[in-house]
Structure formats: structure tokens, C-alpha cells
Amino acid sequence: LVVTPPSLLAPPRARTRRWSLGGPASDMAEVTEAELDSVRERLAAVRGRVPADRTLVAVSKLKPAELMVCAYEAGQRDFGENYVQELVDKGPRLPADARLHFIGHLQTNKVKLLLSEPRLCCVHTVDSLKLAAELQKRAAALRPGQAPLAVMAQVNTSGEASKGGCAPAECVALCEGIRASCPALRLTGLMCIGKYSAAEGGSAADFETLRRCRSEAAAALGEEEGALHLSMGMSHDFEEAIAAGATHVRVGSTIFGARPPKPPPAAQPPAEGQPPP
């Protein structure tokens, strides 16, 4: 009588890769070959819908660095991140010719850390002269002799309190201030976040507002409109944004799949002499 070991009867497990950004083993994620194949297929489909003269920024927010590496190997070079720590953790996993775009809300106390990553090529979310001044200070100190860091002025085109950006009426002053006072920065365009759904009114009005802001800023700076880029459009509306004149589209879940929920902040230890919660 021949007995087949149970291990030979079990179906084969999907091949996985493990990655870590330097955290404990429990923070490591497993990425299956099926997930990698899905990223390759999704990326190819999106790139087929983005004209060659536009920039596709692949946003890997809250996704494993392994998926970024997969996209890089498939030919993608521009990547976007919303969180400073995530950008500086993932950056070293990519070759030197990768271009990292910061597209999230940026606090002044995180600027030094952000600019420590040499692959950072553009900050899309400059919404105040205070932030621009901090970027200028750190870029001059950390990147001496290098080309000015590309930045975009973020405009809150929808007026929603939940979104960052200056008011449209303040855009020209912000652009003029960056150009006049920040030689270590290079103003390359404007950025906005459109409405997320048709139920909210759609993004068309946001895109039109950003185009108007660009016209006004270009006139004030004495430049052709085409000299300033338009970063607008995400997974749900990037084709509409391209039709409206976007030069940069920021596409995440359509390439990398649905994102996991952001982990809650770590619990703070109780103050000395206080009982734990």
C-alpha cells in the first residue's frame, strides 16, 4: 500500500515575494505573481489611453514597493506618493532614473526629510508662500549646485475645506512669489484635485478653473500658457482631464488596485505617572 503524503495532494500555493521598508517582520507584505501580472496589464492599458506627450504619474500610495519596482521594470518612470515617509522609504528601492512626484499635503516640518530623497523631481502641492520659503531654504542647503527643484502651485478649485490649495484668486500672487523669491525652485505649473464623482458635480468645472488660473498666472509672469503644466486628473477622471488639457495625470488604483485603509496612528505611551488607557 502506497500512501501519498498530504503535502503532495494540496494545491500549489501562488508564488509570492516579500518586501519590507526596514520595519519589523510583521510590517512585511507578500505580493503574489498574480498581483504583479495584474499591475503589468493595468499599466499597459492605462498607458495606452495616455498620449505620449503627457506625463503619467503612477501613484502607489499605501501599496508595496514591490509593485512600484514591477511597474518600473515594465517601463514606467514617473511615480507619485502622498506621504513623505512613504516616498523616502520606497525611493531607494528604485533605480536612480526613476522620478518621484510628491502629490500630498506637505507640512513645513517634513520638507527636509522629503528633499533628502534624490529621486524627488517635483512637488505638486505648494499652496502657500510659507511652504515655498521652506522648500527654498532646504533645496538651497541640501541640493547645492543642482538644477532648481520643480514645483507646482496647488489651487483649491472646488473650494472644499477637505482639499488643500490656495484660492483661485490667490494663485497669481503665489506664482509670482515663488518666481521672485525662490531661486532654488522652478515653478513648472499648477495642480488641482477635482471632484470625486458625478454626484458631487464632476470635475469639468475644476479643470476649467485651473486652466483659467494658468492663463492669469502666465500673463502675470510674461510667459506663454503652454510653459506652465497642468497636473489634474486621477483614476476616475484622467481621460476627461487629458481632454481638458492636462499635461500630468495622477493614476493610482486603476494601475495598482484598490488601496487598503490607511493604518491608524500608533498609540502614544501614557505620560509618566499616568495609568495606561
Side-chain angles (χ1 to χ4, degrees):
L1 178 64
V2 178
V3 178
T4 302
S7 60
L8 298 181
L9 296 175
R13 293 183 59 190
R15 293 174 57 199
T16 62
R17 299 183 186 180
R18 295 178 67 83
W19 70 282
S20 173
L21 297 179
S26 60
D27 291 340
M28 297 180 72
E30 288 191 350
V31 176
T32 67
E33 290 296 333
E35 288 177 291
L36 298 175
D37 287 341
S38 177
V39 167
R40 296 183 190 103
E41 293 171 4
R42 289 167 174 259
L43 176 61
V46 171
R47 291 174 74 177
R49 295 153 63 189
V50 177
D53 62 344
R54 316 297 171 94
T55 298
L56 169 63
V57 180
V59 181
S60 58
K61 172 183 174 182
L62 299 179
K63 287 292 186 175
E66 191 79 26
L67 300 186
M68 292 177 69
V69 174
C70 173
Y72 177 91
E73 291 172 347
Q76 181 64 23
R77 291 295 178 269
D78 292 275
F79 297 89
E81 289 295 342
N82 289 68
Y83 304 117
V84 172
Q85 190 64 56
E86 195 169 359
L87 184 146
V88 299
D89 283 345
K90 290 178 177 178
R93 294 290 306 272
L94 295 169
D97 65 336
R99 296 179 291 271
L100 299 183
H101 300 246
F102 185 75
I103 62 171
H105 175 65
L106 180 58
Q107 298 173 301
T108 55
N109 64 349
K110 297 291 183 69
V111 168
K112 182 178 180 180
L113 176 61
L114 177 65
L115 267 62
S116 69
E117 170 49 55
R119 297 163 191 79
L120 176 71
C121 76
C122 185
V123 177
H124 290 229
T125 49
V126 179
D127 59 2
S128 69
L129 288 175
K130 177 183 177 182
L131 178 57
E134 184 66 19
L135 284 162
Q136 161 64 28
K137 172 185 172 182
R138 297 301 183 182
L142 298 174
R143 299 184 168 205
Q146 296 185 32
L149 174 66
V151 299
M152 297 192 189
Q154 182 180 7
V155 182
N156 187 340
T157 52
S158 65
E160 296 170 272
S162 60
K163 294 177 181 176
C166 68
E170 300 170 351
C171 178
V172 169
L174 176 57
C175 292
E176 289 180 323
I178 294 171
R179 181 63 58 82
S181 305
C182 303
L185 308 180
R186 180 169 61 93
L187 179 69
T188 60
L190 310 181
M191 177 267 207
C192 78
I193 301 173
K195 291 185 174 66
Y196 293 118
S197 68
E200 296 178 332
S203 301
D206 296 301
F207 299 157
E208 178 57 33
T209 297
L210 196 67
R211 290 176 63 184
R212 187 181 72 250
C213 287
R214 179 176 69 169
S215 297
E216 295 170 354
L221 297 172
E223 295 186 352
E224 296 291 331
E225 286 188 23
L228 294 176
H229 296 154
L230 292 176
S231 173
M232 57 190 194
M234 299 185 291
S235 283
H236 66 287
D237 60 5
F238 73 90
E239 288 180 294
E240 181 182 355
I242 289 170
T247 60
H248 293 63
V249 291
R250 311 178 304 269
V251 181
S253 57
T254 301
I255 295 173
F256 294 108
R259 298 186 185 102
K262 184 180 178 182
Q268 297 297 316
E272 184 175 352
Q274 295 294 321

